[in-house]
Amino acid sequence: EAPLFVGFQEIGDEKDMAALAKAAKSRYHRSYSALFVQGRDTATGQDVGAILDTSRGWGVYGRASRVSDLERALSKHLVVRLTNAVTAMDVCVVHLRRPIGADGEKKQVEQCRALLKWAMRHLSTDPKANLVILGDFNEGQPVGDNDSSLGVLFQSRPPMVDALSMLTGKVSTHADGKAYDRVIVSTALAKGSNRLKLDRVEVLKHRHGKGYERRSYTDHFPVVVTLKRS
């Protein structure tokens, strides 16, 4: 099935996003728009981006951007508001830094607190806001561990919800068995209180991503979330 929205991490620049949108259009025969804002990661030169299928009634309110709540802590993020005729959904695509070095864990917690601030700014105005934060969080702790760096999001009021918590058993989104990649949604979206409801989540595992194949394929597994009208 053609995806509505896809978030990407570890891309190069807007040319990469244009190429991905073109490839999606060719594969699915739908109109895809590329979403990109230049980040400020000088260490790797990598960035994040997204594509949106605009042929199903969804569009972008304003434009994709970076926001002040996240600018200081997250070098790689993109925020966009998606709208249709009946509702809206605010999406944040991220790639958090790895918790390495003397202050690595502290920096990772700061990133998650910045995401919490962004989410609470929306929820304080509208507790039923549809929010999605997705991407590579570089979170090595297993799904459901509230003591992880991501725990600040799940312990908030109202709490954010990890879509991977719908799955049973050990969940891995990477070739090394960890669940670095997450899709985190607001309580309203998890419960379906504002036109959309989290329906199911899948991790599409593949056999690539080790040794030589890492040069031409990803060692991450796509995480697919399905929303339904409520």
Side-chain angles (χ1 to χ4, degrees):
E1 183 178 353
L4 172 67
F5 182 93
V6 186
F8 295 95
Q9 297 79 44
E10 298 183 358
I11 64 167
D13 54 26
E14 57 187 340
K15 292 181 179 178
D16 285 356
M17 289 314 312
L20 287 165
K22 183 178 179 180
K25 181 178 180 180
S26 175
R27 177 171 183 174
Y28 297 111
H29 305 289
R30 291 180 176 273
S31 297
Y32 281 92
S33 293
L35 304 173
F36 180 81
V37 181
Q38 183 65 55
R40 54 179 183 82
D41 186 339
T42 58
T44 66
Q46 297 171 350
D47 227 310
V48 300
I51 59 174
L52 170 69
D53 178 1
T54 57
S55 64
R56 283 187 275 184
W58 285 89
V60 174
Y61 180 83
R63 60 182 180 178
S65 63
R66 294 171 62 86
V67 295
S68 58
D69 285 342
L70 304 174
E71 187 63 40
R72 181 177 178 181
L74 276 72
S75 62
K76 290 176 282 191
H77 77 272
L78 177 149
V79 169
V80 62
R81 169 164 286 191
L82 307 180
T83 61
N84 64 15
V86 296
T87 192
M89 179 167 56
D90 288 283
V91 183
C92 181
V93 182
V94 302
H95 184 181
L96 304 192
R97 61 169 286 173
R98 296 167 59 196
I100 57 176
D103 61 347
E105 293 185 4
K106 177 183 177 182
K107 290 289 187 181
Q108 191 179 40
V109 171
E110 288 177 355
Q111 293 175 100
C112 293
R113 290 191 182 280
L115 289 169
L116 175 63
K117 182 178 180 180
W118 174 81
M120 290 301 110
R121 189 179 295 276
H122 286 280
L123 294 172
S124 63
T125 302
D126 179 10
K128 293 184 178 181
N130 292 322
L131 304 181
V132 180
I133 307 173
L134 60 90
D136 182 353
F137 290 83
N138 271 310
E139 176 55 75
Q141 298 302 317
V143 175
D145 186 347
N146 284 332
D147 292 328
S148 67
S149 297
L150 288 174
V152 295
L153 290 164
F154 311 139
Q155 297 161 13
S156 60
R157 292 292 180 269
M160 300 292 284
V161 177
D162 189 343
L164 292 184
S165 64
M166 297 177 67
L167 303 178
T168 59
K170 181 182 178 180
V171 180
S172 64
T173 68
H174 191 275
D176 70 1
K178 300 293 181 63
Y180 301 126
D181 310 284
R182 309 288 180 100
V183 178
I184 298 173
V185 303
S186 59
T187 299
L189 199 50
K191 295 182 177 180
S193 54
N194 188 7
R195 305 282 185 164
L196 293 172
K197 186 178 189 302
L198 176 63
D199 185 39
R200 64 180 185 274
V201 59
E202 302 173 84
V203 178
L204 306 183
K205 293 186 177 182
H206 54 71
R207 295 176 295 172
H208 305 279
K210 295 182 178 180
Y212 179 80
E213 287 181 334
R214 292 186 63 176
R215 300 183 183 182
S216 58
Y217 213 91
T218 178
D219 47 3
H220 292 257
F221 306 146
V223 179
V224 181
V225 161
T226 302
L227 306 177
K228 68 178 182 180
R229 296 176 182 174
S230 62

